[in-house]
Amino acid sequence: KEGLFRVDTQTGEANLIVEHHFVGVPGLEISPDGNKIFYTAVPGSGIPDGESAYDVRHFVYDLQSGSEQELTRPGNEPLVPLALSPDGNQLAYVSFENKKPIVYVQTLSTRERRAVASFKGSNSAPAWSPDGRTIAFVTGPAVPRSRDCSCSIAVVNVDGTNQHKLTPDYFDAIQ
């Protein structure tokens, strides 16, 4: 079976807690209190007629109640793995709405979401600072110029202000 399993570390017994047909689970976070699992599910994929057909969604599974809730699904646009804020109240993720990868933050209690980082080209791999005030992410060209990553590490405040690169673009730095 495919899905999420809870494994007893003492006995090694695995119990299925969420069953989905996954192509993969590219993101998984556990809430700070240990009661919820946030994950990215990819129930199916394919590339008919050259178009992306990913049906990517973010979910939360409550370990206490056994309930599952869908958190994000802005419409069959790929969502890159999620990152849960240190306090467990917000998600950061990348969505390709309008065919451009942009870092979004979603408040879990209200489901309100906002774009916070959108350098030209690619924006990916959001990661929270320990204090939850900033998000680091990788930015680079939409199409890499060589086999080497011509990417930079950038940061942005969680409210979307003060977006800036911490490192120079690799490709530009070696020329």
Side-chain angles (χ1 to χ4, degrees):
K1 288 193 172 194
E2 293 183 16
L4 295 178
F5 290 81
R6 176 187 272 176
V7 178
D8 184 311
T9 57
Q10 301 293 320
T11 66
E13 181 182 344
N15 294 301
L16 181 67
I17 57 173
V18 176
E19 185 173 1
H20 277 294
H21 172 66
F22 290 114
V23 172
V25 182
L28 182 76
E29 296 271 348
I30 298 175
S31 64
D33 64 9
N35 292 326
K36 295 179 180 173
I37 299 173
F38 295 83
Y39 60 96
T40 305
V42 186
S45 69
I47 306 178
D49 301 324
E51 294 287 325
S52 172
Y54 291 107
D55 185 19
V56 183
R57 308 173 195 184
H58 291 317
F59 294 91
V60 60
Y61 181 82
D62 188 307
L63 291 165
Q64 303 297 317
S65 69
S67 65
E68 177 186 51
Q69 181 181 13
E70 190 171 318
L71 296 173
T72 60
R73 189 177 181 202
N76 292 341
E77 292 296 335
L79 296 157
V80 177
L82 56 86
L84 185 64
S85 65
D87 64 8
N89 293 323
Q90 300 180 89
L91 289 178
Y93 57 88
V94 176
S95 181
F96 291 81
E97 296 165 51
N98 302 316
K99 309 299 181 215
K100 179 179 179 357
I102 297 173
V103 178
Y104 285 86
V105 170
Q106 179 173 336
T107 302
L108 295 172
S109 62
T110 64
R111 292 194 177 200
E112 178 186 327
R113 64 187 210 118
R114 62 198 174 280
V116 297
S118 60
F119 275 108
K120 183 180 177 182
S122 176
N123 300 281
S124 62
W128 291 86
S129 64
D131 64 9
R133 290 191 263 178
T134 58
I135 297 171
F137 60 100
V138 176
T139 185
V143 178
R145 294 176 268 190
S146 71
R147 278 188 30 187
D148 297 319
C149 178
S150 53
C151 301
S152 297
I153 296 174
V155 294
V156 64
N157 292 341
V158 72
D159 65 2
T161 61
N162 199 23
Q163 174 180 282
H164 62 281
K165 292 180 181 180
L166 295 177
T167 61
D169 292 341
Y170 175 77
F171 185 82
D172 296 333
I174 60 171
Q175 293 204 7

